[in-house]
Amino acid sequence: MTSIESVYRRLVEIAGSEYVSNELCDRLAYSKDYSIEGIAKDYTPDIVVKPANSDEIVEIVKAANEFDVPLYTWGAGTSMSGNPLAVRHGLVLDMKRMNQILEIDSENLTMTVQAGTVHDEIYRTALKHNLFFTHHPESSISSTIGGALSCMGMSIYGAKYGYAYDQVLGVEVVLGTGQKMRIGGKNYLSLPTHNLLNLFLGAEGTLGIITEVTLKVYPLPAFRDRVSYGFADIRTSMEACKRIHSSGCWPETVYAFDRRSLVQYMERAKTPIPSEVRMAVLFGCSGDTDMVEKSLEVVSRCCEEYGGSRLPAEVTESWWKSVNITRENFDQSNFALSHTAYEPDLIDACVPFSRFQEYSDFCDELKREFGWVEIDFGAFAVAAPRGPIPFCIYFSVPIDTRIPREVNHWFEFKERMYRRALELGGSVSDANGVGLRSAPWVREELGPAWQLLTGIKLLVDPKRILNRGNRGFD
Amino acid sequence: MAVRLAKYEDWARACMHVRCGFCRENCCSYRQFKFDSYSAKGRLTLMYHWLKGNLRPDSTMAQRVFSCTSCGLCDIACGYPQSEAIQEMKTALLEANVLPPEDYMVISRRTRETGNPYAEDSSQASNLLRAISKSGTGPAEFTLFFGCTELFRSPKQLDYVTNILRAAKASFYVFPQNICCGSPARRIGDIEQARAQAELVSAAFESSGPRDIVVSCSGCYRTFTKDYASLTDQAPAFSTKHTVQLIDTLIAENRLVLGSLSKRITYHDPCHLGRHCGVYDEPRRILKAIPGVELVEMEWNRKISRCCGAGGGMKVGRPQDAAEIASCRVQEAKEAGASVLVTACPFCVRNLSDGARLIGSDIEIKTIEFLVSELVGIAGRPRKK
Ligand SMILES: Cc1cc2nc3c(=O)[nH]c(=O)nc-3n(C[C@H](O)[C@H](O)[C@H](O)COP(=O)(O)OP(=O)(O)OC[C@H]3O[C@@H](n4cnc5c(N)ncnc54)[C@H](O)[C@@H]3O)c2cc1C
Ligand code: SF4
Ligand code: SF4
């Protein structure tokens, strides 16, 4: 009997035959995420297992160790970096059955949920208790909190509240050894010593499997409104955002898209964008009406000081609906329609703020060199964490993956973009996961710290069972 | 296969690119069968690999594809009407002789052999229809067409509908034959038989002359209004209304006066009537017109209404699963605080009732025609309850 057959039998004993499959039909659905890395090779797992609770996960991890079969934790598979992919095949651990809201503590502003819970469910449950859960990616109606905590996790409300992992007070985690532990708790300061939480947040499943999370929630703001402004280029839009910061105004949403990205986001709504707009920023504020109105007035004044022109209300609304995808408006999502011919992947690298424009110009130049012009995917700059200045920029690069040469071009393009970022004093960034996409440059950037990281990896996952071959871990 | 599915290659590729999964959490078959392969995302993945030649269709694949109830909720999430692509996969599988579990095929076989998916005696049903006396004195305003589920599984629906119309003094004619509209065959991909039924119905309508058809089954309604044009390669020569549209008009014209009812009621949108055809307001207006009724909405309503689980052959093919899915919907109705769950499709009523039984729920489940018929007084006088 092969190790896969043996582990399959064991998994059936652990999770029940209904929740384990080795059928190709089921496995294929877990073979690709939202990345070109995922289409470039075959990452079909051998087995998919969907555990009910953390005790089952402990047993599954032990079985994976015993039979030396790698295990890949899978939330919703919406990642944009190839990080949930079964690089060495083996098992996919589908977390979505663990979707229970365990506790809502309105008085202490916390919520405890299982890691496979979908964001929209958390958001809605909080609302029912007059609370606001702030992590709201565009994939909110499908992606899981465990996935978000394992990537960096951008939220449409991130300008005020930060990344996904800024929302965490405590986790329960199963290490690669099968040992289960809790780190942090329900207090807003639950870390008596080194912040061990950070080992597992943003770790993309390589150090442990998050099974339960205690999250921060906030009193529900009564009102929410937004404006958007068009600018001639990135530089002026950034200056306006700095000015907003100095004004003391603190929006919850700051998303800056270049024209091409905005066109892509308007695909379903078909809202026209004024022709002179090259860069646009969406600002949103929440709170009492007078506070929101005043804030947006200040935002508008600051934008206008830097030559910004207010975009028509219908652009603002279409834009908002296309990023704020909820149960009420998921018929506005543009994703499938705008992804038919091309698959966009990301360059997720952070450069110093002062060099955004230069990096973006380099990207455009390179796109021209590769023949990728006149395609509606472009640059995004997102304010995170905590403040109106978009510190994070990334570039969406559309590839016609039907053409194998184009896929190869993507890998060449990516190499040049990441190299350039490092030359500009930048860094590989983790705005949308590192995974297979950005891993090749991580080791180089970390230098001796890479040894420290692999040492930690060996301590918590000595047989390198967890997400083997991903994120630069061999 | 290549020809039938080629048209959907773009849709499948878009899905492979973005993998958003927006179609997943709401999909009743995913919720029931647990793996992603049972959502539109999974089925489009299968189509993609099938078209690429990486995957040979087999019974395992058929199981994944046929357990789609054609509810169309994924279409709302996706932007591409992926339920249509999945429907075509069913046909492509049948054409490739890859069959779904036997219980699904019963629908097709029975329709072929007996003219209706229940393998019941059509002539008896026709007798039942002929026994309904024509109403009114003048020329008929419209023709009532009753479908197989009403005739063979809930014949009282005929009384409910005709009682209402008699109370409104509407003059109508009842189409005197049982001919299956073709919906059940169509939903399990048997396009050939669906076509045959569509031609039979169209020819029968043509020869007996009705132009304005009224149906109370949402499956018939969808099939007449949305499928007949492609099944018969021409726009139907008749128009179709659902009874909820007719009753709504009768109320607006003051031809129906409804007695009062002090109950909290919720409305389940049948997928075929709501999402597929956009009929959301009429049934709600009817319920609001009943004095004393408090209409409460389930969390998932109107365009995002969750499927009861009966469609796409599931009720016959996997009855236990269909009932389990329905029990979730019943639970939702309870959570909304309703004591009555009303819908506008005899097929949904049957499945929701099975779902309620499964969880021991005492919620009342009925068609809107049943509810209204209890509240209409003959000649417009409210009937005392
Ligand atoms: C349409 C669309 C829009 C998007 N918009 C945004 C956006 O606005 N903001 C944003 O941040 N991202 C966005 N993304 C990317 C993606 O949705 C997020 O990265 C998301 O957080 C991934 O969650 P997931 O549940 O899909 O995780 P997966 O993709 O399944 O996994 C991601 C990583 O987390 C690991 N993982 C998953 N669950 C666990 C767990 N319980 N324990 C340990 N490791 C785990 C996996 O192994 C993998 O490494 C978008 C993606 C799509 C398709
Ligand atoms: S919503 Fe559409 S594109 Fe997204 S996963 Fe579902 S079928 Fe695929
Ligand atoms: S039509 Fe309904 S059952 Fe079928 S895949 Fe779409 S959402 Fe699921």
Side-chain angles (χ1 to χ4, degrees), chain A residues 407-433:
Chain A
V407 177
N408 293 337
H409 276 162
W410 157 247
F411 286 94
E412 289 166 30
F413 180 89
K414 187 167 78 154
E415 165 88 29
R416 293 194 36 204
M417 280 295 286
Y418 278 109
R419 290 253 160 264
R420 183 72 180 158
L422 298 180
E423 284 160 21
L424 291 173
S427 161
V428 169
S429 64
D430 190 3
N432 287 280

Short mmCIF file of all heavy atoms in Angstrom, two decimals, chain A residues 407-433:
data_model
loop_
_atom_site.label_atom_id
_atom_site.label_comp_id
_atom_site.label_asym_id
_atom_site.label_seq_id
_atom_site.Cartn_x
_atom_site.Cartn_y
_atom_site.Cartn_z
N VAL A 407 3.02 32.99 -20.32
CA VAL A 407 3.21 32.57 -18.93
C VAL A 407 4.69 32.70 -18.58
O VAL A 407 5.05 33.20 -17.51
CB VAL A 407 2.69 31.13 -18.72
CG1 VAL A 407 2.97 30.66 -17.30
CG2 VAL A 407 1.20 31.04 -19.02
N ASN A 408 5.55 32.27 -19.51
CA ASN A 408 6.99 32.42 -19.26
C ASN A 408 7.36 33.88 -19.11
O ASN A 408 8.18 34.24 -18.27
CB ASN A 408 7.80 31.82 -20.41
CG ASN A 408 7.62 30.32 -20.45
OD1 ASN A 408 7.27 29.70 -19.44
ND2 ASN A 408 7.83 29.72 -21.61
N HIS A 409 6.73 34.71 -19.95
CA HIS A 409 7.01 36.15 -19.87
C HIS A 409 6.66 36.70 -18.49
O HIS A 409 7.33 37.58 -17.97
CB HIS A 409 6.18 36.91 -20.93
CG HIS A 409 6.85 36.92 -22.25
ND1 HIS A 409 6.19 37.21 -23.42
CD2 HIS A 409 8.13 36.67 -22.60
CE1 HIS A 409 7.05 37.13 -24.42
NE2 HIS A 409 8.23 36.81 -23.94
N TRP A 410 5.57 36.18 -17.94
CA TRP A 410 5.17 36.64 -16.60
C TRP A 410 6.30 36.40 -15.60
O TRP A 410 6.63 37.27 -14.80
CB TRP A 410 3.88 35.95 -16.15
CG TRP A 410 3.68 35.94 -14.65
CD1 TRP A 410 3.70 34.86 -13.84
CD2 TRP A 410 3.50 37.07 -13.79
NE1 TRP A 410 3.53 35.22 -12.53
CE2 TRP A 410 3.40 36.58 -12.47
CE3 TRP A 410 3.41 38.44 -14.00
CZ2 TRP A 410 3.22 37.41 -11.37
CZ3 TRP A 410 3.23 39.27 -12.90
CH2 TRP A 410 3.14 38.76 -11.60
N PHE A 411 6.91 35.22 -15.69
CA PHE A 411 7.97 34.92 -14.73
C PHE A 411 9.19 35.84 -14.95
O PHE A 411 9.81 36.27 -13.99
CB PHE A 411 8.34 33.43 -14.81
CG PHE A 411 7.28 32.55 -14.16
CD1 PHE A 411 6.27 31.98 -14.90
CD2 PHE A 411 7.28 32.35 -12.79
CE1 PHE A 411 5.28 31.21 -14.31
CE2 PHE A 411 6.29 31.58 -12.18
CZ PHE A 411 5.28 31.01 -12.95
N GLU A 412 9.46 36.17 -16.22
CA GLU A 412 10.58 37.10 -16.50
C GLU A 412 10.24 38.51 -15.99
O GLU A 412 11.07 39.19 -15.39
CB GLU A 412 10.82 37.20 -18.02
CG GLU A 412 11.43 35.96 -18.63
CD GLU A 412 11.33 36.00 -20.16
OE1 GLU A 412 11.34 37.11 -20.74
OE2 GLU A 412 11.20 34.91 -20.74
N PHE A 413 9.02 38.90 -16.25
CA PHE A 413 8.56 40.24 -15.85
C PHE A 413 8.66 40.41 -14.33
O PHE A 413 9.17 41.40 -13.82
CB PHE A 413 7.11 40.40 -16.32
CG PHE A 413 6.50 41.72 -15.97
CD1 PHE A 413 6.60 42.81 -16.83
CD2 PHE A 413 5.79 41.90 -14.78
CE1 PHE A 413 6.01 44.03 -16.52
CE2 PHE A 413 5.21 43.11 -14.45
CZ PHE A 413 5.33 44.18 -15.32
N LYS A 414 8.15 39.37 -13.68
CA LYS A 414 8.14 39.38 -12.22
C LYS A 414 9.56 39.53 -11.67
O LYS A 414 9.81 40.36 -10.80
CB LYS A 414 7.52 38.04 -11.81
CG LYS A 414 7.25 37.85 -10.37
CD LYS A 414 6.35 36.62 -10.17
CE LYS A 414 7.12 35.32 -10.28
NZ LYS A 414 6.50 34.22 -9.53
N GLU A 415 10.48 38.79 -12.22
CA GLU A 415 11.89 38.83 -11.80
C GLU A 415 12.40 40.27 -11.89
O GLU A 415 13.00 40.81 -10.95
CB GLU A 415 12.69 37.89 -12.73
CG GLU A 415 14.20 38.05 -12.70
CD GLU A 415 14.85 37.20 -11.61
OE1 GLU A 415 14.26 36.15 -11.30
OE2 GLU A 415 15.90 37.61 -11.08
N ARG A 416 12.10 40.92 -13.04
CA ARG A 416 12.64 42.27 -13.23
C ARG A 416 11.97 43.27 -12.29
O ARG A 416 12.62 44.18 -11.79
CB ARG A 416 12.49 42.67 -14.69
CG ARG A 416 13.43 41.76 -15.48
CD ARG A 416 13.74 42.11 -16.87
NE ARG A 416 13.88 43.47 -17.27
CZ ARG A 416 13.70 43.84 -18.55
NH1 ARG A 416 13.37 42.94 -19.45
NH2 ARG A 416 13.87 45.09 -18.89
N MET A 417 10.70 43.08 -12.05
CA MET A 417 9.99 44.01 -11.16
C MET A 417 10.48 43.87 -9.71
O MET A 417 10.70 44.87 -9.03
CB MET A 417 8.48 43.75 -11.20
CG MET A 417 7.76 44.34 -12.38
SD MET A 417 7.78 46.15 -12.44
CE MET A 417 6.60 46.59 -11.17
N TYR A 418 10.64 42.66 -9.25
CA TYR A 418 11.08 42.47 -7.86
C TYR A 418 12.53 42.97 -7.69
O TYR A 418 12.87 43.62 -6.71
CB TYR A 418 10.95 41.01 -7.42
CG TYR A 418 9.54 40.66 -6.99
CD1 TYR A 418 8.73 39.84 -7.77
CD2 TYR A 418 9.01 41.17 -5.81
CE1 TYR A 418 7.43 39.54 -7.38
CE2 TYR A 418 7.71 40.87 -5.42
CZ TYR A 418 6.92 40.06 -6.21
OH TYR A 418 5.65 39.77 -5.82
N ARG A 419 13.37 42.67 -8.72
CA ARG A 419 14.76 43.16 -8.65
C ARG A 419 14.78 44.68 -8.53
O ARG A 419 15.51 45.25 -7.74
CB ARG A 419 15.55 42.76 -9.90
CG ARG A 419 15.84 41.32 -10.02
CD ARG A 419 17.32 40.99 -9.75
NE ARG A 419 17.40 39.58 -9.42
CZ ARG A 419 17.42 39.08 -8.19
NH1 ARG A 419 17.43 39.88 -7.15
NH2 ARG A 419 17.44 37.78 -7.97
N ARG A 420 13.96 45.29 -9.35
CA ARG A 420 13.92 46.75 -9.37
C ARG A 420 13.49 47.30 -8.00
O ARG A 420 14.04 48.28 -7.50
CB ARG A 420 12.95 47.21 -10.47
CG ARG A 420 12.88 48.69 -10.63
CD ARG A 420 14.15 49.21 -11.27
NE ARG A 420 14.11 50.64 -11.45
CZ ARG A 420 15.17 51.42 -11.59
NH1 ARG A 420 16.37 50.86 -11.54
NH2 ARG A 420 15.06 52.70 -11.76
N ALA A 421 12.49 46.63 -7.42
CA ALA A 421 12.01 47.07 -6.10
C ALA A 421 13.16 47.04 -5.10
O ALA A 421 13.35 48.00 -4.33
CB ALA A 421 10.86 46.19 -5.64
N LEU A 422 13.92 45.96 -5.12
CA LEU A 422 15.03 45.84 -4.17
C LEU A 422 16.07 46.92 -4.45
O LEU A 422 16.60 47.55 -3.52
CB LEU A 422 15.64 44.45 -4.21
CG LEU A 422 14.68 43.28 -3.81
CD1 LEU A 422 15.37 41.93 -3.89
CD2 LEU A 422 14.09 43.48 -2.42
N GLU A 423 16.34 47.18 -5.73
CA GLU A 423 17.30 48.24 -6.08
C GLU A 423 16.84 49.61 -5.58
O GLU A 423 17.64 50.46 -5.22
CB GLU A 423 17.46 48.33 -7.61
CG GLU A 423 18.32 47.22 -8.21
CD GLU A 423 18.05 47.07 -9.71
OE1 GLU A 423 17.54 48.04 -10.33
OE2 GLU A 423 18.34 45.97 -10.23
N LEU A 424 15.53 49.82 -5.60
CA LEU A 424 14.99 51.11 -5.15
C LEU A 424 14.93 51.22 -3.63
O LEU A 424 14.35 52.14 -3.08
CB LEU A 424 13.58 51.33 -5.72
CG LEU A 424 13.46 51.56 -7.22
CD1 LEU A 424 12.00 51.59 -7.65
CD2 LEU A 424 14.12 52.88 -7.62
N GLY A 425 15.49 50.22 -2.95
CA GLY A 425 15.45 50.23 -1.49
C GLY A 425 14.14 49.68 -0.97
O GLY A 425 13.75 49.94 0.18
N GLY A 426 13.44 48.96 -1.81
CA GLY A 426 12.15 48.41 -1.41
C GLY A 426 12.28 47.00 -0.86
O GLY A 426 13.37 46.54 -0.50
N SER A 427 11.14 46.32 -0.80
CA SER A 427 11.09 45.01 -0.18
C SER A 427 9.99 44.19 -0.84
O SER A 427 9.03 44.75 -1.37
CB SER A 427 10.77 45.19 1.31
OG SER A 427 10.28 44.00 1.86
N VAL A 428 10.17 42.88 -0.80
CA VAL A 428 9.03 42.02 -1.13
C VAL A 428 7.98 42.35 -0.09
O VAL A 428 8.31 42.49 1.09
CB VAL A 428 9.43 40.54 -0.99
CG1 VAL A 428 8.22 39.63 -1.07
CG2 VAL A 428 10.46 40.17 -2.05
N SER A 429 6.74 42.53 -0.50
CA SER A 429 5.74 42.83 0.53
C SER A 429 4.70 41.73 0.56
O SER A 429 4.63 40.88 -0.31
CB SER A 429 5.10 44.19 0.30
OG SER A 429 4.39 44.19 -0.91
N ASP A 430 3.93 41.78 1.62
CA ASP A 430 3.01 40.68 1.89
C ASP A 430 1.59 41.22 1.93
O ASP A 430 0.81 40.87 2.76
CB ASP A 430 3.42 40.09 3.26
CG ASP A 430 2.69 38.79 3.55
OD1 ASP A 430 1.94 38.34 2.68
OD2 ASP A 430 2.88 38.26 4.66
N ALA A 431 1.31 42.13 0.96
CA ALA A 431 -0.04 42.70 0.96
C ALA A 431 -1.05 41.67 0.50
O ALA A 431 -2.21 41.70 0.86
CB ALA A 431 -0.09 43.93 0.07
N ASN A 432 -0.61 40.75 -0.35
CA ASN A 432 -1.51 39.74 -0.87
C ASN A 432 -0.86 38.37 -0.82
O ASN A 432 -1.01 37.55 -1.72
CB ASN A 432 -1.89 40.08 -2.31
CG ASN A 432 -2.86 41.25 -2.35
OD1 ASN A 432 -4.04 41.08 -2.12
ND2 ASN A 432 -2.33 42.43 -2.61
N GLY A 433 -0.11 38.12 0.20
CA GLY A 433 0.54 36.82 0.34
C GLY A 433 1.88 36.78 -0.38
O GLY A 433 2.13 37.56 -1.31
#
